[in-house]
Amino acid sequence: MMDECFHEDDYHVSRRIYSNQVFDQVHETQTQEIPNLRERLSRTCGCTGDKWAVQKIKRLLPILDWLPKYPVKEWLPGDIVSGVTTGLVCCLQGVAYALLASVAPVYGLYSAFFPILTYFVLGTSRHISVGPFPVTCLMVGSVVLTLAPDEHFLHSVNITGANDTLTDERLLEVDVEAREAQRILVACTMTVLVGLFQVAMGLMQVGFLVRYLSDPLVGGFTTAAAFHVFISQIKTILSVPIHNHNGFFSIAYTLIDVGRNINQTNIADLIAGLLTIFIVMTVKEINTKFQHKIPVPIPIEVIVTVIASAISHVMDLNSQYGASIVHSLPRGFAPPQTPNITLIGNILGSSFSTAVVGYAVAVSVAKVYAAKHDYTVDGNQELIAFGVSNIFGGCFSSFVASTALSRTAVQESTGGKSQVAGIISALMVMIVILALGPFLQPLQKSVLAGIVIANLKGMFMQISEVPVLWRQNRTDCLIWIATCLASIVLGLDVGLLAGLVFEMGTVVVRTQFPSCATLGNVPNTDIYKNMKDYKNINEIPGIKIFKCNSPIYFANIDYFKEKLRDEVGFDAVRVFKKRNKALKKIHKLIKKGKLQATEDGLVPVASLGVENKAFEKELEEVASQPDSEVKVEVDWTSELPVSVSVPRVHIHSLVVDFSAVSFLDVVAAKSLKLVVKEFMRIGVSVYIAGCDGELVRKMEALSFFDEEVTRDILFLSVHDAILFIQLETSTGNEEDPLAEKISQLQDDKQPLPFTEDEDLIETYDNQHLAIYGLSN
C-alpha cells in the first residue's frame, strides 16, 4: 500500500531515531565561548595596527573613502546638472517650508544650505537631498507656536497726534521683530537638541530602534502629518487671521477659526494659491508620465515662483490688493548664535520624537535608493551625520534637517550620482542667499503655501494603501489607521507615541494569544500538519501532538496551558485529584472489608450483594498469607467500585512541537516543567520535539531539567518522538499508562503509596504560586 504513494521523484531517507541527547553523543558538539565584557571592549576598541585606525577614520568620515575614488569624467556632468536643478528646488522648498516652522522665510534658505555641508563629509547615502522636510518642519512649528505665540509679544499702539504722541492701551499690536527673534531662537535650540539626540543614538549604535517604526506606522503618521500641513496652509492660501492652535483637536479648532473669518479672505492670495496648486500638480504629473522622454524634469516650482514674483512686483499686489508677501529676505548670513538652555526642559519630548521621525524618514529614503543603485547605507553613521548637521545648522539659524522624497527624486532623476550634486545644490542656495534673495521679496506667501500643498500629493496617495493592507494583513491596517487618527486628533507628538504603543500592543497580543494546533500525520510520510487544514491527515491513536507557534513567556504561558488542556481534552491536575480521591475511597472500602485487593483486581465481598464461590475461595487463599503484599491495578477506563467521576484519559503520550518556539523565560520554564510533571503523574509521557540548540541551552540555564524531567524527553523532530513512542509501546517497555498500582498489607497498618501523591495535591497550589514568587 505504501508503494502506491511512491513516485519517480520521491526520495527515501534511512537513519536512526534521534533524541537530542543521542544526537549530541553521536555528533560531537562544539563548545561556544562567550566573551566577557573586557574581551568585547578589547575587540571593539583595541588597536591592531594602522589598518584598523584607517578603517575607523574612513567609517567616521566616509568622504575619505569615496571621494578619492570619484570617477570625474563619468559622474561629474550628471552631478552638475542634478545639483543646479535640485538647488533651485531647495531654495523654493526652503522658503516655503519656513512657513511650516513658523519662522521667517530667510531661515528656510539657511536650512537648505548648512546641513548639506556636514552631510557631504559624514553621510553614507549618495542620492538623498538633505534639507527641510514638511513633517519635521511642522513639528518644529508646533513647538515654536507653543513657546512663542503672538500673545506674548503684544504691546500698546502709539498714536501720533498734531502736537504729541499718545499711547492707547486698548489698541494692541504684535512686536514682529521680537517675535521673530524669539521664534528662531526656539527653533534653533530645538534643532541643536534634535542633533544631540541623534548623535547620542549613533554613538550608542542604536540605529536599529528605527525598525520599531514599521511601514504601516510611518505611512499612517506621514499621512496625518500631510493633513496637518494642509490645514496649516489653508489660512495662508485664504490669508485670514486665526489663532495658533496646537495639541489635541488642533485641526478642528483651526477649521473653526477659518470658518469664522472666511469673509475676510483675500481674493488675490486665494487665486494665486489655487493657480499654483493646479499648475504645479499638473506639471509634476507630466514629469512623472513622460520621465523617460524628458531628459530633465521641468522645474515648475522655480518657474511659478519667478512668474509670481514678477506679477506681484509689477502689479504691486501688496499695496493695491492687500496681498500677503514675503517682505524681508535679506542678503547674507545671520551671525551664529548659541541655543537657549533654559528652553530645553520644555522641548525635550518633542525634540526626541522629531529626531526619531527625521531619521526614520531619511534612512528609509536612503535605503530605497541604495538598493536601487547597489550600495549600502550605514544606519548608525547616518544618525551621526544628521545629528552633526542639525547641531551645525542650529548654530547658524537653521531648523531641523531631514530629506524630502520629492527633492531626492529630482536629484536622482536628473543624473545625480553622489553627494557632489548635493554640494553643488548648496552652492546654488548660497547664491540665492548672497545675491538673489531680495528678488523674492514681492512673492506672495499663498504661492509658497500652494507649492507646499502641491508637494503633499505623495503623502495623501498613501491612503490608497489602506484597502491593500486590509486584504494582506488586517493588523497592519489597524496600525496604519490608529496611528493616522491618533496623529490627526491628538497632534503629531502624542499621535506618534500612541501609534507606537498601539503597534507594540499588537505584537504583545499576537504573542500573548498565539495560534496553537493539533498535528496529524500525512500517511506514509514524516510530515505533520495542522489537522484543521487538511482532510486526509490522521491522528495517531494514543498520541497527541501539540504545536505552539510563538515564543512562550510570562504573558502567554497561561494561554498555552489553556489551549493544551482544550486540545488533549482533559485537565491533568483535575484527573490527578479525582484519581487520588477515588483511591482514598477504595482504601477505606478495603479497610472496612467491603473490597478485597487481589492480583486480579478489586473484588467486592458478599456484603455488597455479590455471591461468587470462586471469589470466596480466592479470598480464603489470600487470607491464609498474612504477611504477603498483594498488588492490584486499577483500570481507569472501566467502571470504578466507588462513586467518583474520574475524567477519562485517552492518550498515553503527548508530543509538544517546539520548532516555532524561539525562547522561554523564567516563569514559562517553571510553569512548563510543572505541566510536564502533571501529565507524568497520571501516566502520560511527555516529549518535546524540534528545540534548537540555543533553546536547549536556555532550558538548561533555567534549571528545566532534573531527576524527573530529564533531557531524554527532547527529540530532534516530531517524527523521531513518534517513532520512539511506537517502538517503546510495541516492545512493552512502558507500563500500562491507564493503570495505577496500589498495595495492601494484610495488617492494614502501612499507608498506601498514593498518600505521597496526596501531599502533592495539597501543595500543588503553592507550587503554582511559587512560580510567581508568591508562596509562603
Side-chain angles (χ1 to χ4, degrees), residues 1-16 523-527 719:
M1 182 176 180
M2 186 178 294
D3 294 338
E4 296 177 358
C5 299
F6 291 161
H7 303 283
E8 294 180 359
D9 297 331
D10 289 349
Y11 67 93
H12 311 283
V13 177
S14 177
R15 64 170 176 83
R16 65 184 301 177
N524 303 319
T525 70
D526 61 349
I527 300 173
H719 197 58

Side-chain angles (χ1 to χ4, degrees), residues 431-453:
I431 292 173
V432 174
I433 293 174
L434 296 177
L436 303 180
F439 291 101
L440 297 177
Q441 290 180 170
L443 181 65
Q444 291 173 267
K445 289 184 178 180
S446 63
V447 173
L448 296 176
I451 293 175
V452 171
I453 292 175

Side-chain angles (χ1 to χ4, degrees), residues 15 59 73 75 146 165 252 255 279 304 416 423 465 467 480 509 567 578 592 628 634 640 715 736 763:
R15 64 170 176 83
R59 185 175 181 181
K73 293 183 179 180
W75 286 9
T146 300
T165 301
L255 290 176
I279 294 172
V304 168
I423 206 70
E465 298 176 1
W480 195 103
V509 169
E567 295 294 337
K578 287 291 185 179
K592 292 179 181 180
S628 64
V634 178
L640 299 177
F715 285 83
D736 184 1
T763 60

Side-chain angles (χ1 to χ4, degrees), residues 670-682:
K670 290 182 179 180
S671 297
L672 187 63
K673 183 177 180 179
L674 188 59
V675 169
V676 173
K677 290 184 176 181
E678 289 167 359
F679 278 98
M680 294 173 66
R681 289 173 191 168
I682 63 173

